[in-house]
Amino acid sequence: MTVPPAAYVLLSTLLFVLGALGVLLRRTALIVFMSIELMLNSVNLAFLSFARMHADLSGQLVAFFVLVVAAVEVVVGLAILVDIFRTRDTVDVDEVDLLRG
Amino acid sequence: MESAVFLIASALSLVGGVGVVTARQPIHSALSLLVVLASLAVLYLLLLAEFLAVLQVILYAGAILVLFLFVIMLLHAHSPELHPSPKLGRSHTATAVISATLLFGLLAGAVLQALGGRVVAPPPPGFGSPEAVGRALFTAFLLPFELAGLLLLVGIVTGVVLGKAPERREAGRPEEGRPAREEVLTRGGRR
Amino acid sequence: MGLVVPWIIGLPLAGWILNGLWGGRLGHRPVGWIACSAVLGAFILGGWEVLALLRAPADAAVVVRLWEWIASGDFRIEAALRLDRLSALMVLVVTGVGFLIHVYSVGYMHGEEGYSRYFAYLNLFVASMLLLVLANNLLVLFVGWELVGLCSYLLIGFWFEREEAARAGRKAFVVNRIGDAAFVLGVCLLFVLFGTLNFEEMARRVRAVPSGQLAMATLLLFVGATGKSAQLPLYVWLPDAMEGPTPVSALIHAATMVTAGVFLVARLWPLFAALDILPNIVAAVGAITALFAATVAVTQVDLKRILAYSTISQIGYMFLGLGAGSATSGLFHLTTHAFFKALLFLSAGSVMHALSGVIDVRRLGGLGRAMPLTTASFLVGACALSGIPPFAGFFSKEHILESAYHAGLIHLWLVGVVTAGLTALYITRAAILAFGDPPADPHAHPHEAPPVMAWPMIVLLILSAAGGFLGAQALGDPFHQYLAPLFEKKTVPPARGLDGLVLGAVSVAAAAAGIVVAWAVYRGRRDPDLGAVGVFLRRQWYIEDLYRAVVVAPAEAVARFCAGVVDLRWIDGVLNGLAAWIARIGTGVRRWQSGYVRQYAAVFLVGTVLAVSYWLFR
């Protein structure tokens, strides 16, 4: 492996932070979701790098399950989003503040 | 060779990442995400995770992203950022940026310290192949596998339930109900 | 014999419980019957015991030990009763006069809403007073002492919705409390000195006790007595206590409770007589109070208040007699005073009853024709009070004055004579203004008292007229014979012969002078203004104003400070401030519940950073 594993993990970190910024700073719900997907993917990249590093397949299995869960999460999340849009006619996450104390 | 591919793929993924986070329209964001997914798939291949690379393309790019696109088209809502009325002001932005930078700094530092100059041995043959992953999946990771199946079931049910059109009709209020039904029948009947 | 004594107290106590708990349901007639028969029963039992005592040697006593009350190391007190000639006398007076007043009350309080409550309290009072007089030791006496104070408070403030009545009740209780504080200190000191509070034992050991401390203890007890018996300086509650129903004034504030102080001194006479200074103090306080109260009584316009000051004055006489060394004279006056003062009060009550509560003498008058019995009762009571022979008051008052003279207290004797003149003056004034012609309101139509109220007055009239003969020399002075053995060489018999006649003539002359002057000044129901002197007297020589300025006002100021500042601003402030502070914290924390998902996510991120840094730099 000519490219040091650190590089992969560093990239993963960068993508993770990017995704986090996207979650925090965007108001469109869909874009927030996609930022979350970005974060999940970055985590997958990290796991696969570690799997390669230690020659342990478990890392790939973890990434596999992350993928599955991500899929389910997207389904549920988008269903909720659609529901909210139907009732409130907005996709701005700041508008959904019913849990305000 | 590997380095070149790595550089290009990682650059692309970064560009795509920035694009996801900064796009005005959701559709642009979705397309940027596609770029990210694809470049990551390449990186997976470099990491000898063939099976997962393929899964990435099929599942993530092929299913999940498509789902996103469907919803984007379904909602066709305008981006809220075009009408600025933010409820969270500059302090929030500042907190976010500072914490994110800090996090990156900490993690990067840790990574470099722990993994810098590490020499990696070549893995056994068949590493990352569908056979290897599948074998592990049905032996060591059987329980998580089953649970994942259950989780998928939950997801399906949720999708169906939440996705149903809201019931507007109630028994005992025929006036409201009848026109809608007539509408449906007429449409169906004319076929 | 011992089995009967507790029931003397027990019967009125049972009356209290019955009427107190179920009086409302029983109805007015049964309540009255229960209350009156309870007291009558106690009287009969008391009489039975007196007969038995008369057949026994003079210093015999029935001691009934009920149970061991306090057993705390060396401090052992029994709940025990003592029936001897002294307490038997008091029992008869309390239950006898008490019974008559109970019967009178049935008529006076007819139709009142608090009827059963009234009789319950009245029975409780009788029981408490009996406990006081039948106590075998000072602590049991104190229980009775406090209880009668409580009943006094309850009955003064019987019509508690009336602000003046409620205030008068509080005043009585507070002033009594001050006296009680001295009383308790005295009791403690006595226990330290004697190691016991039993009367008989204390009497036996009195020689062995250092006199200085004994003097202090008895002085403290005497201060307590001035509170209960309304002498200087703690008399101020009695005139205001007239806010209570008139039968209550008759029973508690004339005949019985206020005499408790006199009884106390008599009971502890061996302790008082062991020193020379205490009897002198007692006599002096009594005489000065008698004079003081008589001067104030001349200026009052409320008939009951005149009688209240008269009571203060007459109790002063009793203390004078005691202090002069003649316990029997003081106690004899206590007995006759119970008769004629109760009679006077009941007459006053009859007037109020007939004229719907009018008690201002300036608004009365002309009652002789319409209310002959009441008028006669008042006049007989007035004569007894003035000390006109052959009415009861003459014999008792005479005995006191003679004792004072023979004990060498000439100045106090003189004060007593002057007071006698003033007494006659003010009561004649009261009689003229209240009953004489012409009436203030020609349209008033008073009616005589109904039989249930009339018969007690008749009995008291007879006793006031003839009761003095119990102490008459001609009959061998049975009263003195009865009690003297208890007081050994400490009591002076009534004077015989020329001495007695001269002294007697002096006091009768003083009384006659008082009556003549009163007739001259107030005849025709005139009430001339006495000018500055009148104001001075009417304001009780400004004593109450003095108290108000020196004691009450500062106390009220402190109370106001505590209520307004300490409680309201500081304590409430701290509590409210604490609550407000917590609420403010809550409001502050509330900002974190913004409902904005992005903010929550930001918190996640910050938390993550903190967690990661912790793990990295551990």
Side-chain angles (χ1 to χ4, degrees):
Chain A
M1 193 175 176
T2 48
V3 180
Y8 288 93
V9 180
L10 220 54
L11 175 64
S12 151
T13 315
L14 201 52
L15 286 175
F16 184 84
V17 169
L18 263 181
L21 279 174
V23 169
L24 258 57
L25 297 178
R26 297 302 303 262
R27 277 160 53 210
T28 313
L30 281 162
I31 296 181
V32 169
F33 271 121
M34 288 191 264
S35 308
I36 294 175
E37 297 309 311
L38 182 59
M39 287 163 79
L40 285 169
N41 272 281
S42 73
V43 165
N44 268 356
L45 180 63
F47 272 116
L48 291 174
S49 317
F50 292 132
R52 170 75 178 89
M53 254 172 56
H54 299 288
D56 185 351
L57 217 49
S58 318
Q60 300 200 357
L61 267 293
V62 172
F64 173 85
F65 285 115
V66 169
L67 206 57
V68 171
V69 172
V72 178
E73 171 236 337
V74 166
V75 166
V76 175
L78 287 180
I80 294 174
L81 176 65
V82 167
D83 217 0
I84 291 178
F85 176 75
R86 274 206 214 116
T87 49
R88 306 179 139 254
D89 205 38
T90 178
V91 284
D92 185 347
V93 292
D94 281 352
E95 289 289 325
V96 189
D97 62 353
L98 281 180
L99 281 182
R100 180 187 203 84
Chain B
M1 183 66 194
E2 190 191 335
S3 328
V5 175
F6 173 80
L7 275 171
I8 297 171
S10 49
L12 270 178
S13 68
L14 279 173
V15 169
V18 172
V20 169
V21 172
T22 58
R24 285 275 126 222
Q25 304 277 4
I27 186 76
H28 299 162
S29 183
L31 294 174
S32 306
L33 186 62
L34 179 61
V35 170
V36 172
L37 295 172
S39 37
L40 281 184
V42 172
L43 288 173
Y44 291 177
L45 284 174
L46 284 178
L47 288 172
L48 304 181
E50 303 118 29
F51 185 50
L52 260 113
V54 172
L55 280 184
Q56 170 94 335
V57 173
I58 296 174
L59 283 188
Y60 239 119
I64 294 173
L65 195 61
V66 172
L67 196 55
F68 265 110
L69 288 174
F70 270 131
V71 171
I72 290 170
M73 288 190 285
L74 183 67
L75 298 189
H76 59 76
H78 293 293
S79 168
E81 273 102 346
L82 291 180
H83 314 284
S85 63
K87 303 254 171 72
L88 295 172
R90 256 170 271 167
S91 60
H92 173 82
T93 319
T95 321
V97 171
I98 292 171
S99 333
T101 320
L102 267 176
L103 186 65
F104 177 71
L106 287 170
L107 290 174
V111 166
L112 286 173
Q113 192 181 37
L115 303 180
R118 207 171 163 120
V119 177
V120 179
F127 184 82
S129 64
E131 190 203 346
V133 175
R135 191 176 294 263
L137 204 56
F138 290 109
T139 54
F141 288 84
L142 183 60
L143 183 60
F145 176 72
E146 298 295 335
L147 290 178
L150 200 61
L151 192 63
L152 284 169
L153 178 64
V154 169
I156 293 169
V157 172
T158 311
V160 169
V161 167
L162 286 183
K164 247 165 69 161
E167 279 286 333
R168 292 241 162 79
R169 251 177 315 179
E170 283 171 20
R173 280 211 264 162
E175 294 89 22
E176 273 192 301
R178 210 172 284 134
R181 191 190 274 163
E182 276 181 295
E183 204 176 60
V184 168
L185 284 174
T186 349
R187 273 210 211 120
R190 287 262 179 86
R191 206 172 298 151
Chain C
M1 206 156 141
L3 287 173
V4 170
V5 174
W7 282 105
I8 297 177
I9 302 176
L11 281 177
L13 203 65
W16 164 62
I17 292 175
L18 278 171
N19 281 337
L21 289 177
W22 296 293
R25 262 184 277 159
L26 287 171
H28 285 196
R29 283 208 95 200
V31 163
W33 274 98
I34 291 174
C36 294
S37 36
V39 183
L40 181 62
F43 178 75
I44 292 172
L45 291 179
W48 176 274
E49 293 294 332
V50 167
L51 289 176
L53 275 179
L54 285 174
R55 279 178 264 133
D59 54 357
V62 180
V63 177
V64 181
R65 289 188 178 80
L66 294 173
W67 70 85
E68 180 150 47
W69 180 18
I70 301 176
S72 170
D74 282 336
F75 186 57
R76 310 193 90 82
I77 303 286
E78 287 182 325
L81 301 176
R82 177 193 186 81
L83 182 75
D84 57 11
R85 288 194 172 186
L86 175 59
S87 49
L89 168 70
M90 295 300 296
V91 167
L92 287 180
V93 170
V94 169
T95 53
V97 176
F99 170 66
L100 293 171
I101 293 179
H102 270 76
V103 173
Y104 180 93
S105 300
V106 170
Y108 191 82
M109 301 297 282
H110 180 74
E112 270 286 336
E113 204 192 304
Y115 196 83
S116 52
R117 177 165 59 101
Y118 173 85
F119 277 104
Y121 287 162
L122 214 59
N123 265 155
L124 179 63
F125 166 76
V126 172
S128 314
M129 188 74 200
L130 290 170
L131 180 65
L132 198 161
V133 301
L134 284 171
N136 191 35
N137 60 60
L138 208 44
L139 208 57
V140 175
L141 188 150
F142 186 61
V143 172
W145 186 272
E146 289 291 295
L147 277 175
V148 295
L150 171 70
C151 294
S152 172
Y153 163 79
L154 289 171
L155 284 163
I156 293 172
F158 180 72
W159 289 302
F160 53 79
E161 280 132 358
R162 212 170 114 77
E163 179 59 37
E164 291 88 347
R167 215 182 308 138
R170 284 198 297 270
K171 184 173 178 177
F173 199 82
V174 171
V175 175
N176 255 253
R177 248 317 172 215
I178 298 173
D180 292 347
F183 191 104
V184 170
L185 286 175
V187 168
C188 294
L189 194 51
L190 280 181
F191 185 77
V192 169
L193 288 174
F194 285 95
T196 176
L197 292 174
N198 185 302
F199 294 127
E200 208 171 320
E201 286 173 32
M202 285 199 287
R204 244 180 286 151
R205 299 189 209 170
V206 73
R207 302 251 164 262
V209 167
S211 59
Q213 293 172 48
L214 179 62
M216 176 51 89
T218 46
L219 184 63
L220 286 168
L221 285 170
F222 181 62
V223 171
T226 63
K228 191 69 79 189
S229 293
Q231 299 293 287
L232 286 168
L234 294 172
Y235 74 92
V236 290
W237 61 275
L238 190 53
D240 285 359
M242 298 298 113
E243 290 290 334
T246 305
V248 167
S249 307
L251 182 60
I252 302 186
H253 305 128
T256 47
M257 187 186 95
V258 290
T259 56
V262 179
F263 170 76
L264 179 74
V265 175
R267 220 343 149 221
L268 291 173
W269 191 242
L271 274 62
F272 276 83
L275 312 143
D276 276 335
I277 181 161
L278 256 302
N280 287 342
I281 294 176
V282 170
V285 169
I288 296 172
T289 307
L291 180 63
F292 161 73
T295 59
V296 178
V298 177
T299 61
Q300 297 296 308
V301 293
D302 180 324
L303 185 56
K304 284 179 72 176
R305 277 190 178 235
I306 296 175
L307 296 176
Y309 282 106
S310 171
T311 303
I312 299 174
S313 179
Q314 296 302 303
I315 297 178
Y317 269 107
M318 296 176 212
F319 279 116
L320 174 60
L322 244 55
S326 172
T328 47
S329 65
L331 291 165
F332 188 33
H333 197 55
L334 187 156
T335 312
T336 56
H337 175 264
F339 296 154
F340 59 72
K341 193 48 69 65
L343 179 63
L344 285 168
F345 267 109
L346 294 190
S347 317
S350 174
V351 169
M352 289 175 72
H353 189 257
L355 291 173
S356 353
V358 175
I359 197 58
D360 188 331
V361 292
R362 296 171 296 193
R363 290 167 57 190
L364 296 172
L367 300 172
R369 227 149 290 119
M371 308 177 70
L373 174 63
T374 305
T375 312
S377 302
F378 195 88
L379 288 175
V380 167
C383 290
L385 175 61
S386 308
I388 307 290
F391 295 94
F394 164 70
F395 292 95
S396 52
K397 193 180 293 192
E398 215 12 67
H399 193 176
I400 291 177
L401 290 173
E402 285 167 8
S403 309
Y405 187 86
H406 286 296
L409 303 165
I410 309 295
H411 34 291
L412 293 183
W413 170 79
L414 203 56
V415 167
V417 171
V418 170
T419 309
L422 283 172
T423 305
L425 194 151
Y426 69 66
I427 199 66
T428 311
R429 167 179 175 266
I432 294 175
L433 289 177
F435 293 90
D437 287 321
D441 180 5
H443 301 292
H445 290 297
H447 55 87
E448 186 54 86
V452 75
M453 285 167 63
W455 276 105
M457 285 165 64
I458 292 173
V459 173
L460 286 170
L461 192 154
I462 297 173
L463 286 171
S464 302
F469 292 110
L470 281 174
Q473 301 174 32
L475 296 178
D477 202 349
F479 192 89
H480 182 82
Q481 300 302 324
Y482 171 76
L483 272 185
L486 284 185
F487 299 96
E488 292 184 9
K489 299 164 212 119
K490 300 293 177 198
T491 190
V492 175
R496 321 246 151 189
L498 195 62
D499 254 0
L501 281 175
V502 169
L503 288 174
V506 170
S507 32
V508 174
I515 295 178
V516 165
V517 170
W519 179 256
V521 173
Y522 300 105
R523 170 174 52 173
R525 291 191 71 247
R526 289 176 305 163
D527 192 18
D529 185 5
L530 295 170
V533 176
V535 173
F536 179 71
L537 294 181
R538 193 165 45 248
R539 309 238 4 150
Q540 309 162 54
W541 300 24
Y542 296 112
I543 287 186
E544 261 208 89
D545 299 291
L546 181 71
Y547 283 175
R548 174 157 293 282
V550 172
V551 179
V552 178
E556 278 182 351
V558 171
R560 260 199 305 275
F561 177 73
C562 285
V565 176
V566 174
D567 189 33
L568 218 54
R569 290 223 315 245
W570 295 353
I571 296 177
D572 279 3
V574 166
L575 290 175
N576 290 345
L578 198 66
W581 178 65
I582 292 179
R584 259 181 287 138
I585 292 179
T587 309
V589 174
R590 201 177 168 221
R591 271 185 284 128
W592 289 12
Q593 294 285 329
S594 63
Y596 299 135
V597 183
R598 293 203 285 147
Q599 184 184 298
Y600 298 162
V603 174
F604 282 16
L605 189 57
V606 171
T608 311
V609 170
L610 291 173
V612 169
S613 28
Y614 170 73
W615 276 315
L616 286 180
F617 300 121
R618 199 151 54 115

